[in-house]
Amino acid sequence: MSIAMLMAMVSCSSSDDEVAENKAESKLVPMTFTATQESNVGTRAALNGSNGVDWQTGDEISVFDAVGDGHNQRFTLTGDAKDGKFSGNASSDATKFTAVYPYTEGATLNEVGIVSGITLPAEQTATADSFDPAAALMMAVSTTDKKYNLDFKNAVSLVKVTTEFACKSIVLSANENIAGTGTLTYNSGEPSINFTSNISQTITLKPATVSNSFAAGTYYMVVPSITLNGFTITFTAEDNTEYTRKSTKSNTFNRSRIKDFGSFATTGDYWYDAARGDKVRADQEVDLGLTITIDEKNYKVIFATSNLTKDGLAENEYDYGDYFAWGATSVWYSAINQDTNPWSITPLDVKPGGYIIANAPLYGGSSYTKYTKKFDVLEADDDAARQILGGDWQIPIKEIWDKLYDTSKYAWSWTTKGGYNGYQVSNAVATKTLFLPAAGRVEDTSFSNVGTHGYYWAGTAWSSSASVPSKAAYCLRSNDGDVNAVGACDRYYGCSVRPVRLVAE
């Protein structure tokens, strides 16, 4: 092997690198690109009055010339902002260009057109009626016939929030990754970001000045195009009070779209209360003014406005909801068949026969093994309302139904709502009402008295005397002719549940 060949196989020296660098730089020539952006929403530096977007003085973009290692060149907006002219230096040998907004130091373009080192920040600066431009990721790829035109496409979505009070911060929290550093892919004009480092499941909107706050107004958070299986948004007011709203529903944030979360005041009924839990909104509960005393302590009773379902609360106050055995925290059917007469259920395989005593919770074959004494009260683990709704929700104890049946304080009126019969209960001044639909009950696999009777569990065990083992539990029974007050129902019946929670006074 000759010395010349051997030298050719040796890795380049530092002086060789300098020569290569100079050679690459010698190809850079001044260029100007005309940059446009999607007009159907705008996730850019500033929203105008019609939710369009405008370039702003000082805007900068990264331009990759796709020659060699895809040099990241800084281009700056020049001239009139509305013209969208960005000027800088790039390779004269390039046949097309890839660009990213905003300019990102250290970002690189690989051979298949993916840009690395792009960040959607977990902390974003609150900007009145707009958003943090550093978070507004966009991507463009020029075409051969329009080499110097960059048609930017949004890679992100916007969350709009309007606060009626000054805030120190607004924090969006999710179970999914919603911020971080990663790669940006063009996807034929549908850019997307994939996080690989500095990953965060929160995005914080903060004031521009540390230890300051931002005024009441409308603000936007920049989020990725993603579907969140629930989220929490927390507003921290100037006095450090935290106001939190939770959603347990699936929410999709579409690329290049705005999702409006609405307006928030400190007195709204949308704030999360740990005692209320994740699944019940403030407008799904009612205070009739009923109070009870337990162990010499007074409690205000808050009623849910609709019946319990296997997943939460029924949508409407007149909906029947689902049917639960006493002490069961789930239903024993896969379907309710309304085409049969009477209605029937399709029992679960693990509960053959449906609502029969053999399937009753804590039934030992000849007697119950728990809650065997009169007035025993369901524990939280055996309370369907607590297990399904969380918070402080529970099945009403006997004393609550007894007090609600006090006709000197509460008026009971048989009526029809939404096409369903039931009792409307109102307090003395008739300012608050509660509707209890006559949902009937399930025994074995068949329904009885649907539309004519209501059966609502109490969380209290029943027996004829303290010494006789309980085989039933108290329930509120009603029909179109009478409210039979609180009587007994066999524990294996499938009855309605109207949740309550107790608030210490």
Side-chain angles (χ1 to χ4, degrees):
M1 180 179 294
S2 69
I3 295 176
M5 292 178 63
L6 180 62
M7 291 179 62
M9 296 175 63
V10 175
S11 60
C12 294
S13 67
S14 59
S15 60
D16 291 332
D17 289 337
E18 291 173 2
V19 171
E21 181 73 16
N22 291 334
K23 182 179 180 181
E25 288 182 357
S26 68
K27 296 180 181 179
L28 298 182
V29 297
M31 292 184 185
T32 298
F33 291 92
T34 299
T36 59
Q37 49 195 293
E38 286 183 277
S39 60
N40 55 342
V41 63
T43 47
R44 252 293 301 112
L47 289 172
N48 59 34
S50 59
N51 279 348
V53 288
D54 300 316
W55 294 113
Q56 299 292 291
T57 300
D59 277 344
E60 295 181 328
I61 58 176
S62 287
V63 175
F64 303 89
D65 55 26
V67 173
D69 60 358
H71 300 93
N72 181 359
Q73 309 294 348
R74 186 197 301 261
F75 275 64
T76 303
L77 184 70
T78 57
D80 194 327
K82 69 175 182 286
D83 294 334
K85 302 293 185 181
F86 284 81
S87 298
N89 296 306
S91 171
S92 59
D93 293 337
T95 56
K96 72 174 185 177
F97 299 89
T98 297
V100 171
Y101 177 90
Y103 172 78
T104 304
E105 185 73 30
T108 60
L109 175 74
N110 71 10
E111 64 277 5
V112 295
I114 297 175
V115 179
S116 300
I118 300 299
T119 297
L120 178 57
E123 289 192 350
Q124 300 175 15
T125 301
T127 307
D129 298 315
S130 193
F131 45 85
D132 185 347
L137 300 177
M138 294 191 301
M139 192 172 186
V141 175
S142 71
T143 59
T144 303
D145 59 333
K146 294 183 178 181
K147 182 176 176 181
Y148 301 110
N149 287 2
L150 296 173
D151 183 14
F152 278 94
K153 302 295 183 181
N154 299 310
V156 288
S157 175
L158 289 180
V159 171
K160 177 182 178 181
V161 292
T162 301
T163 172
E164 297 181 19
F165 55 98
C167 294
K168 287 186 173 181
S169 68
I170 302 176
V171 180
L172 178 69
S173 302
N175 294 319
E176 294 80 11
N177 300 328
I178 56 175
T181 299
T183 59
L184 199 59
T185 305
Y186 190 61
N187 292 329
S188 301
E190 297 280 339
S192 63
I193 186 168
N194 178 50
F195 302 118
T196 57
S197 63
N198 302 318
I199 294 171
S200 176
Q201 294 184 334
T202 64
I203 291 177
T204 301
L205 208 58
K206 59 184 182 63
T209 305
V210 177
S211 76
N212 203 343
S213 61
F214 47 94
T218 297
Y219 299 88
Y220 295 81
M221 285 183 172
V222 181
V223 301
S225 175
I226 194 172
T227 295
L228 301 181
N229 295 309
F231 65 84
T232 299
I233 185 165
T234 301
F235 300 71
T236 301
E238 286 183 302
D239 62 0
N240 291 318
T241 301
E242 290 189 350
Y243 299 89
T244 299
R245 177 187 171 190
K246 287 195 175 186
S247 172
T248 58
K249 297 180 179 179
S250 176
N251 284 268
T252 298
F253 300 82
N254 294 308
R255 186 195 70 81
S256 197
R257 294 290 185 272
I258 296 173
K259 184 177 284 288
D260 190 350
F261 278 5
S263 182
F264 298 87
T266 58
T267 56
D269 63 1
Y270 29 69
W271 299 123
Y272 169 73
D273 182 340
R276 190 186 303 129
D278 293 343
K279 294 186 177 181
V280 182
R281 304 187 309 270
D283 62 351
Q284 291 178 300
E285 58 183 20
V286 61
D287 178 6
L288 294 177
L290 189 151
T291 61
I292 62 170
T293 302
I294 301 175
D295 296 331
E296 299 183 351
K297 190 171 184 178
N298 293 329
Y299 293 89
K300 178 169 57 176
V301 179
I302 306 297
F303 288 87
T305 55
S306 59
N307 285 350
L308 187 68
T309 72
K310 62 183 179 63
D311 300 313
L313 288 180
E315 181 177 356
N316 302 300
E317 62 178 345
Y318 49 78
D319 292 334
Y320 288 162
D322 280 313
Y323 299 80
F324 298 84
W326 195 81
T329 58
S330 60
V331 298
W332 295 351
Y333 50 81
S334 59
I336 295 177
N337 312 312
Q338 298 184 16
D339 294 331
T340 59
N341 188 17
W343 289 3
S344 62
I345 63 165
T346 301
L348 298 175
D349 291 341
V350 294
K351 297 292 182 182
Y355 290 80
I356 58 177
I357 193 169
N359 289 332
L362 306 169
Y363 184 73
S366 59
S367 62
Y368 287 94
T369 60
K370 191 176 181 181
Y371 309 117
T372 58
K373 297 178 182 178
K374 188 175 185 178
F375 302 138
D376 280 350
V377 174
L378 282 173
E379 297 172 2
D381 287 347
D382 301 317
D383 188 310
R386 175 64 58 84
Q387 294 305 308
I388 293 172
L389 299 180
D392 290 344
W393 293 102
Q394 66 177 71
I395 295 174
I397 59 175
K398 175 181 182 295
E399 289 80 0
I400 293 175
W401 287 131
D402 285 338
K403 281 210 164 189
L404 190 66
Y405 185 57
D406 184 349
T407 55
S408 67
K409 295 182 179 179
Y410 302 96
W412 288 68
S413 175
W414 183 261
T415 187
T416 300
K417 284 193 172 184
Y420 296 88
N421 297 330
Y423 269 100
Q424 178 164 291
V425 186
S426 58
N427 59 14
V429 292
T431 56
K432 301 289 181 65
T433 63
L434 189 71
F435 185 70
L436 300 171
R441 73 181 189 208
V442 190
E443 185 176 1
D444 300 330
T445 60
S446 296
F447 284 82
S448 60
N449 305 128
V450 174
T452 60
H453 291 66
Y455 300 88
Y456 286 83
W457 281 126
T460 309
W462 179 93
S463 68
S464 58
S465 69
S467 61
V468 176
S470 296
K471 293 184 178 180
Y474 284 101
C475 66
L476 175 74
R477 299 184 301 186
S478 63
N479 58 47
D480 56 358
D482 185 26
V483 179
N484 295 323
V486 182
C489 292
D490 286 337
R491 295 185 187 187
Y492 62 85
Y493 287 172
C495 297
S496 301
V497 171
R498 178 58 61 93
V500 299
R501 63 183 183 91
L502 306 183
V503 179
E505 293 191 311

CSV table of all heavy atoms in Angstrom, one decimal, residues 416-446:
chain,number,residue,atom,x,y,z
A,416,THR,N,-94.6,14.2,36.4
A,416,THR,CA,-93.9,13.6,35.2
A,416,THR,C,-92.9,14.6,34.7
A,416,THR,O,-93.2,15.8,34.5
A,416,THR,CB,-94.9,13.2,34.1
A,416,THR,OG1,-95.9,12.3,34.6
A,416,THR,CG2,-94.2,12.6,32.9
A,417,LYS,N,-91.7,14.1,34.5
A,417,LYS,CA,-90.6,14.9,33.9
A,417,LYS,C,-89.9,14.1,32.8
A,417,LYS,O,-89.6,13.0,33.0
A,417,LYS,CB,-89.6,15.3,35.0
A,417,LYS,CG,-90.1,16.5,35.9
A,417,LYS,CD,-88.9,17.0,36.7
A,417,LYS,CE,-89.3,18.3,37.5
A,417,LYS,NZ,-88.2,18.9,38.2
A,418,GLY,N,-89.7,14.8,31.7
A,418,GLY,CA,-89.1,14.1,30.6
A,418,GLY,C,-89.8,12.8,30.1
A,418,GLY,O,-89.1,11.9,29.6
A,419,GLY,N,-91.1,12.7,30.4
A,419,GLY,CA,-91.8,11.5,30.1
A,419,GLY,C,-91.7,10.4,31.1
A,419,GLY,O,-92.3,9.3,30.9
A,420,TYR,N,-91.1,10.7,32.3
A,420,TYR,CA,-91.0,9.7,33.3
A,420,TYR,C,-91.7,10.1,34.6
A,420,TYR,O,-91.6,11.3,35.0
A,420,TYR,CB,-89.5,9.5,33.6
A,420,TYR,CG,-88.7,8.9,32.5
A,420,TYR,CD1,-88.1,9.8,31.5
A,420,TYR,CD2,-88.5,7.6,32.3
A,420,TYR,CE1,-87.4,9.3,30.4
A,420,TYR,CE2,-87.8,7.0,31.2
A,420,TYR,CZ,-87.3,7.9,30.3
A,420,TYR,OH,-86.6,7.4,29.2
A,421,ASN,N,-92.4,9.2,35.2
A,421,ASN,CA,-93.1,9.5,36.5
A,421,ASN,C,-92.1,9.5,37.7
A,421,ASN,O,-91.1,8.8,37.6
A,421,ASN,CB,-94.2,8.4,36.7
A,421,ASN,CG,-95.3,8.5,35.6
A,421,ASN,OD1,-95.5,9.5,35.0
A,421,ASN,ND2,-95.9,7.3,35.4
A,422,GLY,N,-92.5,10.2,38.7
A,422,GLY,CA,-91.8,10.2,39.9
A,422,GLY,C,-92.2,11.2,40.9
A,422,GLY,O,-93.2,11.9,40.6
A,423,TYR,N,-91.5,11.4,42.0
A,423,TYR,CA,-91.9,12.4,43.0
A,423,TYR,C,-90.9,13.5,42.9
A,423,TYR,O,-89.7,13.3,42.8
A,423,TYR,CB,-91.8,11.8,44.4
A,423,TYR,CG,-93.1,11.2,44.8
A,423,TYR,CD1,-93.4,9.9,44.8
A,423,TYR,CD2,-94.1,12.1,45.3
A,423,TYR,CE1,-94.6,9.3,45.2
A,423,TYR,CE2,-95.4,11.6,45.7
A,423,TYR,CZ,-95.6,10.2,45.7
A,423,TYR,OH,-96.8,9.7,46.1
A,424,GLN,N,-91.5,14.7,42.9
A,424,GLN,CA,-90.7,15.9,43.0
A,424,GLN,C,-90.7,16.4,44.5
A,424,GLN,O,-91.8,16.6,45.0
A,424,GLN,CB,-91.1,17.0,42.1
A,424,GLN,CG,-90.3,18.3,42.3
A,424,GLN,CD,-90.5,19.3,41.1
A,424,GLN,OE1,-90.0,19.0,40.0
A,424,GLN,NE2,-91.1,20.4,41.4
A,425,VAL,N,-89.6,16.6,45.1
A,425,VAL,CA,-89.5,17.0,46.5
A,425,VAL,C,-89.0,18.4,46.5
A,425,VAL,O,-87.9,18.7,45.8
A,425,VAL,CB,-88.6,16.1,47.3
A,425,VAL,CG1,-88.6,16.4,48.7
A,425,VAL,CG2,-88.9,14.6,47.1
A,426,SER,N,-89.6,19.3,47.2
A,426,SER,CA,-89.2,20.7,47.3
A,426,SER,C,-89.1,21.1,48.7
A,426,SER,O,-89.8,20.6,49.6
A,426,SER,CB,-90.1,21.6,46.5
A,426,SER,OG,-91.4,21.5,47.0
A,427,ASN,N,-88.2,22.0,49.0
A,427,ASN,CA,-88.1,22.5,50.4
A,427,ASN,C,-89.2,23.5,50.7
A,427,ASN,O,-90.1,23.8,49.8
A,427,ASN,CB,-86.7,23.1,50.7
A,427,ASN,CG,-86.4,24.3,49.7
A,427,ASN,OD1,-87.3,24.8,49.1
A,427,ASN,ND2,-85.1,24.6,49.7
A,428,ALA,N,-89.3,24.0,51.9
A,428,ALA,CA,-90.4,24.7,52.4
A,428,ALA,C,-90.7,26.0,51.6
A,428,ALA,O,-91.8,26.4,51.3
A,428,ALA,CB,-90.2,25.1,53.9
A,429,VAL,N,-89.6,26.6,51.1
A,429,VAL,CA,-89.8,27.8,50.3
A,429,VAL,C,-89.8,27.5,48.8
A,429,VAL,O,-89.9,28.5,48.0
A,429,VAL,CB,-88.7,28.9,50.6
A,429,VAL,CG1,-88.9,29.4,52.0
A,429,VAL,CG2,-87.3,28.2,50.5
A,430,ALA,N,-89.8,26.3,48.5
A,430,ALA,CA,-89.9,25.8,47.1
A,430,ALA,C,-88.8,26.4,46.2
A,430,ALA,O,-89.0,26.6,45.0
A,430,ALA,CB,-91.3,26.1,46.5
A,431,THR,N,-87.7,26.7,46.7
A,431,THR,CA,-86.6,27.3,45.9
A,431,THR,C,-85.7,26.2,45.3
A,431,THR,O,-85.0,26.4,44.3
A,431,THR,CB,-85.7,28.3,46.7
A,431,THR,OG1,-85.2,27.6,47.9
A,431,THR,CG2,-86.6,29.5,47.1
A,432,LYS,N,-85.7,25.1,46.0
A,432,LYS,CA,-84.8,23.9,45.5
A,432,LYS,C,-85.7,22.7,45.4
A,432,LYS,O,-86.6,22.5,46.2
A,432,LYS,CB,-83.7,23.7,46.5
A,432,LYS,CG,-82.7,24.9,46.7
A,432,LYS,CD,-81.9,25.1,45.4
A,432,LYS,CE,-81.0,26.3,45.6
A,432,LYS,NZ,-79.9,26.0,46.7
A,433,THR,N,-85.4,21.9,44.4
A,433,THR,CA,-86.2,20.7,44.2
A,433,THR,C,-85.3,19.5,43.9
A,433,THR,O,-84.2,19.6,43.4
A,433,THR,CB,-87.2,20.8,43.0
A,433,THR,OG1,-86.5,21.1,41.8
A,433,THR,CG2,-88.2,22.0,43.3
A,434,LEU,N,-85.9,18.3,44.1
A,434,LEU,CA,-85.2,17.0,43.8
A,434,LEU,C,-86.3,16.1,43.2
A,434,LEU,O,-87.4,16.0,43.7
A,434,LEU,CB,-84.7,16.4,45.1
A,434,LEU,CG,-83.8,15.2,45.1
A,434,LEU,CD1,-82.5,15.6,44.6
A,434,LEU,CD2,-83.7,14.6,46.5
A,435,PHE,N,-85.9,15.5,42.1
A,435,PHE,CA,-86.8,14.6,41.4
A,435,PHE,C,-86.3,13.2,41.5
A,435,PHE,O,-85.2,12.9,41.2
A,435,PHE,CB,-86.9,15.0,39.9
A,435,PHE,CG,-88.0,14.1,39.2
A,435,PHE,CD1,-89.3,14.3,39.4
A,435,PHE,CD2,-87.6,13.2,38.2
A,435,PHE,CE1,-90.3,13.6,38.8
A,435,PHE,CE2,-88.5,12.4,37.6
A,435,PHE,CZ,-89.9,12.6,37.8
A,436,LEU,N,-87.2,12.3,42.0
A,436,LEU,CA,-86.9,10.9,42.2
A,436,LEU,C,-87.8,10.0,41.3
A,436,LEU,O,-88.9,9.8,41.6
A,436,LEU,CB,-87.2,10.5,43.7
A,436,LEU,CG,-86.4,11.3,44.7
A,436,LEU,CD1,-86.9,10.9,46.1
A,436,LEU,CD2,-84.9,10.9,44.6
A,437,PRO,N,-87.2,9.6,40.1
A,437,PRO,CA,-88.0,8.9,39.2
A,437,PRO,C,-88.4,7.5,39.7
A,437,PRO,O,-87.7,6.9,40.5
A,437,PRO,CB,-87.1,8.7,38.0
A,437,PRO,CG,-85.7,8.9,38.5
A,437,PRO,CD,-85.8,9.8,39.7
A,438,ALA,N,-89.6,7.1,39.3
A,438,ALA,CA,-90.1,5.8,39.7
A,438,ALA,C,-89.5,4.7,38.8
A,438,ALA,O,-90.1,4.3,37.8
A,438,ALA,CB,-91.7,5.7,39.7
A,439,ALA,N,-88.3,4.3,39.2
A,439,ALA,CA,-87.6,3.4,38.3
A,439,ALA,C,-87.8,1.9,38.5
A,439,ALA,O,-87.3,1.1,37.8
A,439,ALA,CB,-86.1,3.6,38.5
A,440,GLY,N,-88.7,1.6,39.5
A,440,GLY,CA,-89.0,0.2,39.8
A,440,GLY,C,-87.8,-0.5,40.4
A,440,GLY,O,-86.9,0.1,40.9
A,441,ARG,N,-87.8,-1.9,40.3
A,441,ARG,CA,-86.7,-2.6,40.9
A,441,ARG,C,-86.5,-3.9,40.0
A,441,ARG,O,-87.3,-4.3,39.2
A,441,ARG,CB,-87.0,-3.0,42.3
A,441,ARG,CG,-88.0,-4.1,42.5
A,441,ARG,CD,-88.3,-4.4,43.9
A,441,ARG,NE,-89.1,-5.6,44.1
A,441,ARG,CZ,-90.0,-5.8,45.1
A,441,ARG,NH1,-90.1,-4.9,46.1
A,441,ARG,NH2,-90.7,-6.9,45.2
A,442,VAL,N,-85.4,-4.6,40.3
A,442,VAL,CA,-85.1,-5.9,39.6
A,442,VAL,C,-85.0,-7.0,40.7
A,442,VAL,O,-84.4,-6.9,41.7
A,442,VAL,CB,-83.7,-5.8,38.9
A,442,VAL,CG1,-83.6,-7.1,38.0
A,442,VAL,CG2,-83.6,-4.6,38.1
A,443,GLU,N,-85.7,-8.1,40.4
A,443,GLU,CA,-85.6,-9.3,41.2
A,443,GLU,C,-85.4,-10.5,40.2
A,443,GLU,O,-86.2,-10.6,39.2
A,443,GLU,CB,-86.8,-9.5,42.0
A,443,GLU,CG,-86.7,-10.7,43.0
A,443,GLU,CD,-87.9,-10.9,43.9
A,443,GLU,OE1,-88.8,-10.1,43.8
A,443,GLU,OE2,-87.9,-11.9,44.7
A,444,ASP,N,-84.5,-11.4,40.5
A,444,ASP,CA,-84.1,-12.4,39.5
A,444,ASP,C,-83.6,-11.7,38.2
A,444,ASP,O,-82.7,-10.9,38.3
A,444,ASP,CB,-85.3,-13.4,39.2
A,444,ASP,CG,-85.8,-14.1,40.5
A,444,ASP,OD1,-84.9,-14.3,41.4
A,444,ASP,OD2,-86.9,-14.4,40.5
A,445,THR,N,-84.3,-11.9,37.1
A,445,THR,CA,-83.9,-11.2,35.9
A,445,THR,C,-85.0,-10.3,35.4
A,445,THR,O,-84.9,-9.8,34.3
A,445,THR,CB,-83.6,-12.2,34.8
A,445,THR,OG1,-84.7,-13.0,34.5
A,445,THR,CG2,-82.4,-13.1,35.2
A,446,SER,N,-86.1,-10.1,36.2
A,446,SER,CA,-87.2,-9.3,35.7
A,446,SER,C,-87.4,-8.0,36.6
A,446,SER,O,-87.1,-8.0,37.8
A,446,SER,CB,-88.5,-10.2,35.8
A,446,SER,OG,-88.4,-11.3,35.0
